[in-house]
Amino acid sequence: MAKVKTQYVCQNCGYISPRYLGRCPNCNEWNTLVEETVAPKAASLSAPSLRRNGIHDNKPEPIDKVAFHRENRFKTSMEELNRVLGGGVVPGSLILIGGDPGIGKSTLMLQVSGQLSKAGKILYVSGEESASQIKMRATRLGVNGDQLYVYPETDMDVIKSTISELKPDAVVIDSVQTMQIPELQSATGSVAQIREVTADLMNIAKGQGITVFVVGHVTKGGAIAGPKILEHMVDTVLYFEGDLHHSYRILRTVKKSFWVD
Ligand SMILES: Nc1ncnc2c1ncn2[C@@H]1O[C@H](COP(=O)(O)OP(=O)(O)O)[C@@H](O)[C@H]1O
Ligand SMILES: [Mg+2]
Ligand SMILES: [Zn+2]
C-alpha cells in the first residue's frame, strides 16, 4: 500500500511546496502554506474530471461535420448583469461570483435565480443557509416560482446525483468554500477541495450543458482561497464590490471567455 504523503499548499495561490515555508515564494503572502495530505495513488484524484465523472462521450469528428449552433444567451432583466456577462448568460458556462462576505452575493444570486427560473429550471444549492432562511429572503425580495429549487447541501457527490435527476438548466453553488468531496482528506475550504469541487462543477457545466454560478468569498488579502486556480478554471469571473455602508454595488468583470463585442 502506498503511503500517505504530506505537502504544503498555499491557500492564497495554490503553490505547492514539499516542506513548510513561512512565506509563499509564488505570491509572497506570509503564513499561507497549510499542510495537506496527498491520498495514495489508487485513490488519487489527479485526473478528477475523467475518473470521478466518467464523461467519455466525446469522439473525434471531422470539423466539416461538426454541428454549429450559435450560442444563445439568455438575458436577465438586470441590464448590468447581462452587460458584465457579455450580453447574457451562456448555457453551459461556469461563472465565478466573487466578493467580500456580506457584500450581497447570495442576495444577487437569489434574484438572478428567480429571474432565470421564468425561463428554465434552477437549482440553488446553499451550504450556508437553510431552506427556510432562503425562503425568508426570497419573500422579502419578491422572488418566487415553481421552477426555482432551493437545496441546502454541501456534499458534492450527493449534489451531482441530484443534478442528474433534476436536470436543471442552471445551478447556483453558494459557496464553493462550503462544498466538499467526502473522499478527499483535505479540509472543507482548502485549496485541494476547492480545486476538485470546481473541476466537478466544470464537468457538470461542459458535460451536461448546465450553466453553473459559483459563489466564492474573498479573504482579507483580496483573494478567494485558491482564487488563482479558480480564476483559471472558470469561464467568467465577476467581482461584486461596493461600500458596505452605502447602497450601491458594482459588478466588475475580471475574466470573460464568451465576450461578443
Ligand atoms: N444590492 C444590495 N444593496 C443593499 N444591501 C444589500 C444588497 N444585497 C444584499 N444586501 C444586504 O446585505 C446583507 C448581506 O447580503 P448577502 O447576500 O447575505 O451577502 P453575501 O452572500 O455576499 O455574504 C444582507 O443583509 C442583505 O440584505
Ligand atoms: Mg452568502
Ligand atoms: Zn501563494
Side-chain angles (χ1 to χ4, degrees), residues 100-107 129 137 140 217 247 249:
D100 287 319
I103 196 72
K105 300 180 295 298
S106 300
T107 307
E129 280 137 338
R137 173 177 285 161
R140 191 160 47 80
H217 297 298
S247 54
R249 298 288 193 275

Side-chain angles (χ1 to χ4, degrees), residues 10 12-13 15 24 26-27 32:
C10 173
N12 184 47
C13 73
Y15 177 85
C24 173
N26 187 47
C27 69
T32 52

Side-chain angles (χ1 to χ4, degrees), residues 14-251:
Y15 177 85
I16 296 170
S17 163
R19 62 186 181 285
Y20 181 77
L21 298 169
R23 185 179 200 178
C24 173
N26 187 47
C27 69
N28 296 326
E29 288 292 319
W30 289 95
N31 306 319
T32 52
L33 270 73
V34 167
E35 182 176 356
E36 286 183 2
T37 50
V38 185
K41 254 290 175 279
S44 153
L45 295 173
S46 54
S49 35
L50 300 176
R51 197 186 70 74
R52 301 189 67 247
N53 295 283
I55 298 166
H56 293 289
D57 293 347
N58 293 336
K59 292 186 182 63
E61 79 186 291
I63 195 163
D64 288 352
K65 299 266 158 54
V66 177
F68 179 78
H69 36 90
R70 265 196 79 78
E71 298 163 354
N72 44 31
R73 290 160 194 267
F74 40 100
K75 291 194 194 301
T76 70
S77 59
M78 287 177 206
E79 260 320 305
E80 191 183 3
L81 182 66
N82 295 336
R83 189 175 53 76
V84 293
L85 288 171
V89 181
V90 175
S93 59
L94 181 57
I95 302 158
L96 171 67
I97 314 282
D100 287 319
I103 196 72
K105 300 180 295 298
S106 300
T107 307
L108 176 73
M109 287 323 299
L110 190 58
Q111 288 173 310
V112 170
S113 300
Q115 294 208 358
L116 295 179
S117 75
K118 307 303 173 206
K121 198 189 285 180
I122 315 300
L123 180 66
Y124 184 103
V125 186
S126 179
E128 313 206 335
E129 280 137 338
S130 67
S132 64
Q133 280 175 301
I134 299 167
K135 171 74 180 182
M136 243 149 58
R137 173 177 285 161
T139 306
R140 191 160 47 80
L141 295 168
V143 169
N144 54 35
D146 58 1
Q147 291 273 85
L148 173 55
Y149 291 78
V150 292
Y151 183 38
E153 183 54 69
T154 57
D155 182 328
M156 278 305 294
D157 290 344
V158 179
I159 292 167
K160 279 194 291 186
S161 49
T162 302
I163 290 172
S164 307
E165 264 169 52
L166 190 69
K167 299 186 176 31
D169 297 289
V171 175
V172 176
I173 299 290
D174 188 2
S175 63
V176 67
Q177 280 101 344
T178 57
M179 299 299 147
Q180 50 139 333
I181 290 164
E183 304 99 277
L184 277 181
Q185 280 139 346
S186 311
T188 306
S190 64
V191 167
Q193 283 283 358
I194 289 176
R195 192 164 32 207
E196 296 300 328
V197 166
T198 309
D200 272 4
L201 297 174
M202 185 53 103
N203 276 312
I204 291 164
K206 304 303 163 198
Q208 301 174 52
I210 297 170
T211 302
V212 182
F213 294 91
V214 197
V215 171
H217 297 298
V218 168
T219 52
K220 269 139 265 138
I224 298 169
K228 294 301 160 207
I229 302 159
L230 264 185
E231 286 190 5
H232 292 303
M233 290 175 86
V234 303
D235 297 312
T236 305
V237 180
L238 303 179
Y239 278 102
F240 201 27
E241 300 173 334
D243 185 332
L244 284 174
H245 308 289
H246 296 91
S247 54
Y248 71 87
R249 298 288 193 275
I250 299 166
L251 261 179

